[in-house]
Amino acid sequence: SAVGRGPEVPFSSEAYRISATSRGKELRLTLAPLGPAATQDLVFRFGMSGSFRLCPAARLPRHAHLRFLTRESPPRALCFVDARRFGSWRLGDAWQLGRGPCVLSEYQAFRENVLKNLDDKAFDKPICEALLNQKFFNGIGNYLRAEILYRLKIPPFEKARTVLEALKDQEQARRKKNPSLTLSKKLKLMRENPDLLELCHTVPMEVIAAEKNLLDPDHSDNYAAFKNWLQCYLVPSMSSLRDRNGRTIWFQGEPGPMAPKGQTSRKKRAQLKADPEALTPKVTMRASKRCSRAAAKPPKLAKEDEEEEEVADGPRKGRARGRRKATAAPASSEPDAPVKAKRSRRTSARRGRGEAGSP
């Protein structure tokens, strides 16, 4: 499309077949002509809103940035749809450099890549931030990290190395205790007592296994089923904080020793809105009125949380401007002057300019 940000695709064929391979957060399409022409590979990243949709060519969806047409009559189009344009594609078959083994298709290599590199500075960070590092956790995103940590009751701001070194010690002890474990027994142990790296594989697999019921964007009932599957992410009873990258992490219980300072969990903010008596003592009548108006409005947690979550994943220029506007005129620490005194100052100023003052 004219507004698509990806490169032109130099490919044309009367008949061709499309096949796909995924790895982590990337998808590779191979366009193979049914003839002597050369194949063309494209590697996609989906951003937050990218998806593929098959639809009638006469009724293309909005934001269909790349289209592959069928030869049937009437023709259909396989479209790469991306409303927010955070997604992208590039020519060639190479996966993006710097991404580790896939948590789904290369689980054993993924596990080894993490445990043998625990001295990397990436693991100096909180575990919630380390889980988004695609060099080690290729395929894990924001909602998956919340679900994984919640199931294991791991505080999101615990140091990553502390969490993962414990897994390394457990694995070594397990091998010493049962040196001849068969693959089937290993899988059984994994299902009965999963650790964090195992859940990085099994939790995404749950979504894939049920994707027809959970993730069909054309049916709102299926999206409701996906929200019901979530145990932590966007659940109003959970707490949430922003990590140092501006991404919101949802959790239950204590955040952990590396939690950012000066933030209040959204859950606590909602409680303050619902219970104005829990706020700090009211100094002025004006502040009292503001608090009572806020208490009268029911909190709209789910919608606000979802909107904030989307903003956190995208460009933050607008948010920064909004913050600057909000803080450009800080409130004075001095108490308001009495109304009569303000009026008398205005009156004397007008008199100084030769204007008539108020009686």
Side-chain angles (χ1 to χ4, degrees):
S1 72
V3 297
R5 295 176 178 174
E8 294 287 336
V9 181
F11 179 84
S12 179
S13 176
E14 287 297 317
Y16 59 98
R17 181 173 288 113
I18 301 178
S19 58
T21 307
S22 65
R23 183 176 186 267
K25 287 194 172 187
E26 295 181 292
L27 181 80
R28 181 169 63 211
L29 293 191
T30 299
L31 315 180
L34 302 182
T39 62
Q40 175 68 60
D41 290 296
L42 305 169
V43 176
F44 288 80
R45 294 176 62 191
F46 290 85
M48 285 192 66
S49 61
S51 65
F52 277 97
R53 195 174 305 174
L54 186 63
C55 58
R59 298 199 306 271
L60 293 176
R62 293 184 63 192
H63 311 291
H65 299 307
L66 201 58
R67 308 134 189 183
F68 305 93
L69 301 176
T70 68
R71 295 186 66 188
E72 61 195 333
S73 183
R76 290 185 294 170
L78 178 66
C79 304
F80 177 63
V81 182
D82 186 15
R84 305 188 69 189
R85 291 189 289 171
F86 293 162
S88 63
W89 66 85
R90 62 183 182 276
L91 305 178
D93 62 353
W95 304 114
Q96 186 180 34
L97 294 175
R99 287 182 176 262
C102 176
V103 298
L104 291 172
S105 60
E106 304 166 295
Y107 170 69
Q108 200 56 47
F110 148 70
R111 187 181 183 91
E112 291 171 2
N113 184 48
V114 171
L115 293 180
K116 75 180 182 183
N117 288 295
L118 290 182
D119 57 346
D120 192 286
K121 63 181 181 181
F123 300 108
D124 293 333
K125 297 181 179 181
I127 186 63
C128 67
E129 294 178 16
L131 282 170
L132 295 185
N133 187 329
Q134 301 300 294
K135 179 180 177 182
F136 297 105
F137 296 91
N138 187 12
I140 299 300
N142 207 19
Y143 86 90
L144 287 172
R145 67 170 178 172
E147 296 299 311
I148 290 165
L149 295 175
Y150 169 77
R151 293 190 187 193
L152 293 173
K153 304 296 183 254
I154 295 174
F157 292 96
E158 182 62 70
K159 191 173 184 178
R161 187 175 292 108
T162 302
V163 174
L164 294 166
E165 280 183 343
L167 301 190
K168 193 173 184 179
D169 295 339
Q170 290 172 12
E171 189 165 278
Q172 290 174 348
R174 187 188 298 174
R175 285 178 180 173
K176 288 180 181 179
K177 189 175 180 180
N178 300 297
S180 59
L181 276 179
T182 62
L183 179 60
S184 61
K185 288 182 178 178
K186 286 180 181 178
L187 291 173
K188 184 180 178 182
L189 281 173
M190 180 171 129
R191 286 191 296 269
E192 291 174 352
N193 300 291
D195 62 31
L196 183 139
L197 297 181
E198 289 162 348
L199 285 184
C200 286
H201 174 75
T202 58
V203 173
M205 286 298 292
E206 288 180 19
V207 181
I208 290 174
E211 65 180 340
K212 289 184 179 178
N213 294 326
L214 297 179
L215 296 175
D216 188 342
D218 295 326
H219 296 87
S220 59
D221 290 345
N222 288 341
Y223 180 67
F226 173 65
K227 290 193 76 171
N228 290 335
W229 174 84
L230 295 169
Q231 299 178 34
C232 179
Y233 182 77
L234 288 180
V235 175
S237 61
M238 297 294 153
S239 301
S240 63
L241 291 172
R242 289 196 184 278
D243 65 20
R244 288 166 181 81
N245 298 316
R247 304 287 298 276
T248 301
I249 176 67
W250 298 77
F251 61 95
Q252 186 178 55
E254 294 300 318
M258 299 181 73
K261 307 298 182 186
Q263 284 194 48
T264 303
S265 164
R266 257 182 242 186
K267 182 179 177 182
K268 292 180 180 177
R269 291 203 297 271
Q271 290 171 348
L272 290 176
K273 286 183 180 180
D275 181 13
E277 296 301 324
L279 293 168
T280 53
K282 306 170 186 58
V283 178
T284 65
M285 184 62 69
R286 187 181 301 171
S288 176
K289 289 180 180 178
R290 280 200 301 267
C291 292
S292 61
R293 283 198 300 269
K297 294 180 181 179
K300 300 177 181 178
L301 280 179
K303 187 173 186 298
E304 290 173 3
D305 290 344
E306 194 163 355
E307 288 173 353
E308 282 192 33
E309 190 58 45
E310 289 182 356
V311 171
D313 288 309
R316 297 177 180 84
K317 292 181 180 178
R319 289 177 60 81
R321 283 197 296 270
R323 283 196 296 269
R324 282 197 293 271
K325 287 179 181 178
T327 57
S332 172
S333 58
E334 297 179 3
D336 288 346
V339 176
K340 289 183 179 178
K342 289 183 178 178
R343 187 175 297 153
S344 65
R345 283 200 296 270
R346 288 199 298 270
T347 302
S348 61
R350 282 197 292 269
R351 286 172 177 165
R353 294 195 297 269
E355 299 175 9
S358 301

